[in-house]
């Protein structure tokens, strides 16, 4: 298939620049992948789409304030966007500088810190910091809002560009489907007997990189770190045994679970994945998906198309545009059930 098979027209004014006043106050578009039927709901209607036997699986990664600014000894300004820490003082990062950095180049950072360029790994820079990487960014970094949010970072973004259940630092972009949940809604779901479990996928900055090839089979995903614990595997087995569904809260959860089941059965997994889910993929674990609206021609849109069917998904997106839904990270949500041929036999 071609990248352009996943194009749609999106008016710029529908790209959400701010979160909803309350987390669960967003809209929710329900898409039946079997029939293509859509329903306009509110996010607080989510429990009506669930059963007490269902299991919600969340990504508990925590977003690091991963963007920081420094200066070269010559005075030139440098922007760092952390991709991931490789050790206490070593990290991979995206670097923007007016002049190319050479091995050994030093960048002066806030708080008396500095970092030294050790080498390149593709588009990323390997850096050595004068202190521990994560504490530096927690104190001196700012939240790495996506490039389509065209405003300065605000203090409120530290809270709102983070799920309420985030607990494992490592992401540089939020698993945005989870941003809609607040403590009250989570408590309501628990009272209804709907189960929950967690995986961890540390979302990298590569999630915003466009697909640059025309034939999507030639696209190579960036690696991301994933942990699917044994307890989550057991909870999924129990939900299935009780006749419940496994509902992924976000595309990162889909990729985590399906990567952990790549050998045909779900098992605990801790490592990196480059799994690229596109039409033709057969899902083994996920029975329904809660997600936000995604960029045209993006790998996340392709994943949703694999689950719901490309034509049904693009018709739903066309409906969302005409109904003035809010798009992308701070936007509204979709609840998707699969097309009839989405699952492996």
């Amino acid at each position: 298939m071609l990248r352009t098979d996943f194009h749609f027209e999106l008016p710029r004014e529908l790209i959400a620049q701010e979160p909803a006043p309350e987390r669960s106050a967003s809209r929710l578009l329900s898409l039946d992948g079997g029939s293509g039927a859509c329903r306009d709901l509110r996010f607080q209607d989510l429990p009506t789409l669930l059963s007490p036997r269902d299991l919600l699986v969340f990504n508990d990664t925590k977003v690091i304030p991963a963007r920081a600014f420094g200066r070269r000894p010559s005075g030139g300004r440098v922007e760092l966007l952390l991709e991931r820490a490789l050790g206490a003082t070593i990290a991979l990062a995206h670097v923007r500088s007016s002049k190319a950095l050479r091995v050994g180049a030093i960048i002066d950072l806030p708080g008396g810190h500095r970092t030294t360029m050790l080498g390149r790994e593709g588009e990323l820079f390997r850096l050595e910091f004068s202190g521990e990487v994560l504490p530096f960014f927690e104190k001196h970094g700012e939240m790495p809002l996506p490039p389509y949010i065209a405003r300065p970072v605000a203090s409120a973004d530290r809270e709102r560009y983070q799920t309420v259940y985030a607990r494992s630092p490592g992401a540089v972009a939020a698993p945005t489907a989870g941003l809609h949940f607040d403590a009250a809604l989570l408590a309501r779901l628990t009272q209804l007997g709907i189960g929950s479990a967690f995986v961890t996928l540390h979302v990298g900055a590569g999630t915003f990189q466009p697909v640059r090839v025309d034939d999507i089979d030639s696209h190579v995903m960036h690696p991301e770190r994933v942990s699917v614990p044994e307890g989550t595997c057991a909870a999924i087995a129990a939900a299935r045994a009780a006749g419940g569904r496994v509902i992924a809260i976000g595309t990162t959860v889909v990729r985590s679970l399906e990567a952990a089941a790549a050998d045909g059965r779900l098992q605990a997994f801790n490592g990196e994945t480059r799994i690229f889910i596109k039409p033709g993929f057969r899902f083994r674990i996920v029975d329904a998906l809660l997600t936000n609206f995604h960029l045209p021609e993006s790998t996340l849109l392709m994943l949703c198309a694999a689950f719901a069917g490309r034509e049904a998904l693009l018709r739903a997106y066309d409906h969302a545009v005409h109904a003035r839904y809010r798009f992308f990270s701070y936007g509204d949500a979709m609840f998707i059930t699969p097309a009839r041929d989405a699952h492996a036999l």
Side-chain angles (χ1 to χ4, degrees):
M1 302 187 77
L2 300 179
R3 170 174 48 86
T4 52
D5 291 333
F6 302 90
H7 183 76
F8 65 93
E9 295 296 330
L10 179 66
R12 183 171 294 274
E13 66 270 17
L14 295 186
I15 301 174
Q17 299 296 307
E18 305 281 350
E22 298 178 7
R23 287 181 181 268
S24 60
S26 54
R27 298 168 71 187
L28 177 64
L29 178 62
S30 174
L31 169 62
D32 181 341
S35 67
C38 290
R39 283 199 292 159
D40 297 306
L41 304 169
R42 307 299 303 181
F43 196 80
Q44 292 184 354
D45 296 324
L46 177 64
T48 67
L49 302 175
L50 306 175
S51 159
R53 298 182 298 276
D54 290 340
L55 178 73
L56 304 183
V57 184
F58 299 88
N59 181 5
D60 67 1
T61 189
K62 186 174 183 179
V63 181
I64 302 165
R67 181 172 280 113
F69 299 91
R71 290 196 176 276
R72 304 179 69 169
S74 61
R77 192 167 185 262
V78 180
E79 177 184 332
L80 305 180
L81 178 61
L82 178 68
E83 177 69 19
R84 62 182 179 273
L86 301 178
T89 61
I90 306 295
L92 288 176
H94 300 265
V95 178
R96 288 185 179 180
S97 176
S98 57
K99 293 184 178 180
L101 292 182
R102 298 182 182 275
V103 173
I106 293 172
I107 303 168
D108 293 317
L109 299 170
H113 294 270
R114 59 172 39 187
T115 188
T116 303
M117 202 281 231
L118 300 179
R120 294 287 298 268
E121 295 188 16
E123 296 181 350
L124 300 173
F125 291 74
R126 189 180 185 95
L127 304 174
E128 182 175 16
F129 287 74
S130 57
E132 292 189 44
V133 173
L134 294 183
F136 165 77
F137 279 95
E138 284 291 344
K139 184 173 183 180
H140 299 288
E142 65 178 34
M143 291 303 271
L145 294 183
Y148 45 73
I149 294 182
R151 62 167 174 81
V153 177
S155 58
D157 292 312
R158 282 240 175 183
E159 175 196 0
R160 295 302 304 273
Y161 195 62
Q162 194 84 269
T163 65
V164 298
Y165 48 78
R167 60 189 180 190
S168 180
V172 299
T176 55
L179 297 180
H180 304 281
F181 290 86
D182 54 27
L185 180 57
L186 290 170
R188 183 180 168 201
L189 292 168
T190 299
Q191 291 169 356
L192 292 171
I194 297 163
S196 62
F198 294 89
V199 300
T200 305
L201 184 147
H202 293 312
V203 190
T207 193
F208 300 116
Q209 294 298 314
V211 176
R212 294 189 172 96
V213 293
D214 292 328
D215 182 349
I216 67 171
D217 286 341
S218 301
H219 178 71
V220 178
M221 295 288 286
H222 59 283
E224 290 173 308
R225 290 173 292 160
V226 176
S227 175
V228 178
E230 186 61 51
T232 295
C233 297
I236 288 171
R240 284 277 178 79
R245 297 175 299 170
V246 176
I247 298 172
I249 306 303
T251 57
T252 60
V253 174
V254 177
R255 296 182 66 242
S256 299
L257 295 179
E258 298 296 336
D263 292 336
R265 67 181 184 88
L266 181 64
Q267 52 191 333
F269 178 78
N270 192 9
E272 285 193 345
T273 183
R274 289 180 179 265
I275 188 171
F276 180 16
I277 297 177
K278 56 186 183 293
F281 185 88
R282 293 294 175 259
F283 295 83
R284 299 180 183 277
I285 307 301
V286 175
D287 300 308
L289 166 62
L290 181 78
T291 187
N292 278 25
F293 293 94
H294 301 295
L295 288 162
E297 302 182 10
S298 65
T299 60
L300 304 183
L301 186 68
M302 293 169 191
L303 182 153
C304 294
F307 195 70
R310 188 183 73 92
E311 292 79 10
L313 184 74
L314 291 180
R315 284 195 300 270
Y317 267 57
D318 184 63
H319 170 84
V321 168
H322 285 90
R324 310 295 288 177
Y325 277 75
R326 301 167 74 241
F327 277 66
F328 306 159
S329 295
Y330 275 150
D332 295 315
M334 290 186 74
F335 184 85
I336 307 174
T337 57
R340 293 184 180 91
D341 62 350
H343 284 94
L345 298 177

